[in-house]
Amino acid sequence: MKTKDYIKKRFSKLFQPKIYLRGIDTPLGNMLAASTRNGICMLLFDECRLQGRNFGKNVDVKSYKIVNGENRHIRRLIRELDEYFAKERKSFSVKLDLHGTDFQIKVWKKLMEIPYGNTISYREEALMLNRPKGFKAVAYANGKNPVLILIPCHRVINSDGTLGRYSMGDLRKEAILRFENPELCEKIMKATKEHEELFGPQYKLPSI
């Protein structure tokens, strides 16, 4: 390799932007956070990795150097999650660095407008996005949410008041909703149980 090319390669690696990875313990299970210098780009539960869900699905990881550790965004994230689980915080201010299609990012940002302890339906979310007939596309984008809890896709339920799907499973969604608003969650789970007694387990979104 020519000296000029060698120096160029070494310097490109030296100044390559980093993605920091850090495990975070929460009352709802272990989570894995990832952050670029611009903000949090991933916050998923550990079992997501078993499903092949990771930041590599959204971020062009070849452009980054992966580092185990934390930066200022992850440190802030940890503080804000601690406050959230201590019921001292209802919204997050840590910066996000979202990677996805234009539509997905639009959906994720709209989810962040749902107040703590409240829920909306997939159809209501579609109307908020001026896509009244696009609720299935909206639900699909919800399922691709790379930053759980901070982007509260768990606050979207079926129009008939039943739980609806969640990328991490019904039990996880129920746990988060129960943590934020026990009374509302009780109503949702009652409606879900009645629905399942009539129609069986909800594998789809029959009442969007």
Side-chain angles (χ1 to χ4, degrees):
M1 182 182 294
K2 294 180 179 179
T3 303
K4 185 176 179 181
D5 293 336
Y6 175 78
I7 293 174
K8 184 177 180 181
K9 186 175 181 180
R10 286 296 300 272
F11 269 84
S12 65
K13 287 186 176 181
L14 184 63
F15 295 106
Q16 189 175 22
K18 297 176 182 178
I19 286 180
Y20 291 86
L21 291 181
R22 169 74 147 76
I24 301 175
D25 241 354
T26 80
L28 295 177
N30 296 324
M31 303 190 79
L32 182 65
S35 177
T36 67
R37 63 184 178 184
N38 297 318
I40 303 298
C41 61
M42 184 192 77
L43 180 63
L44 299 176
F45 288 100
D46 268 0
E47 55 264 46
C48 289
R49 289 181 291 176
L50 300 178
Q51 299 175 357
R53 290 188 63 202
N54 53 57
F55 59 87
K57 299 289 183 180
N58 300 85
V59 182
D60 180 14
V61 292
K62 292 181 181 179
S63 302
Y64 294 87
K65 180 179 180 181
I66 310 301
V67 177
N68 288 318
E70 59 188 43
N71 62 4
R72 61 190 177 92
H73 300 300
I74 290 182
R75 286 191 289 273
R76 186 180 185 95
L77 169 66
I78 292 171
R79 288 197 304 272
E80 294 193 0
L81 282 175
D82 285 344
E83 293 167 356
Y84 169 82
F85 285 114
K87 292 189 178 292
E88 298 171 354
R89 173 177 291 276
K90 294 184 178 181
S91 62
F92 297 90
S93 61
V94 61
K95 291 184 177 180
L96 302 183
D97 184 15
L98 300 178
H99 296 253
T101 66
D102 290 343
F103 178 69
Q104 286 174 337
I105 292 174
K106 187 176 180 181
V107 169
W108 300 336
K109 288 183 176 180
K110 188 59 66 174
L111 287 170
M112 295 171 70
E113 297 178 12
I114 307 172
Y116 177 96
N118 288 263
T119 59
I120 64 171
S121 71
Y122 295 96
R123 189 176 295 280
E124 288 173 321
E125 184 185 1
L127 289 171
M128 289 167 64
L129 289 156
N130 297 316
R131 295 283 295 269
K133 295 183 179 180
F135 53 84
K136 288 185 178 179
V138 167
Y140 182 78
N142 284 5
K144 296 295 183 180
N145 173 16
V147 186
L148 299 182
I149 298 181
L150 277 63
I151 300 177
C153 56
H154 59 272
R155 294 177 190 160
V156 185
I157 63 173
N158 290 337
S159 294
D160 62 1
T162 57
L163 190 63
R165 294 190 302 182
Y166 188 57
S167 61
M168 290 313 307
D170 293 356
L171 291 177
R172 183 79 71 184
K173 184 172 184 177
E174 178 187 352
I176 303 174
L177 289 174
R178 191 174 297 281
F179 172 79
E180 292 187 352
N181 189 332
E183 291 182 6
L184 176 59
C185 183
E186 202 59 42
K187 292 180 182 178
I188 293 169
M189 297 315 297
K190 181 180 179 181
T192 301
K193 184 178 180 181
E194 291 173 351
H195 182 277
E196 290 180 347
E197 287 174 351
L198 286 173
F199 304 105
Q202 43 178 32
Y203 294 110
K204 298 182 179 180
L205 296 170
S207 55
I208 291 177

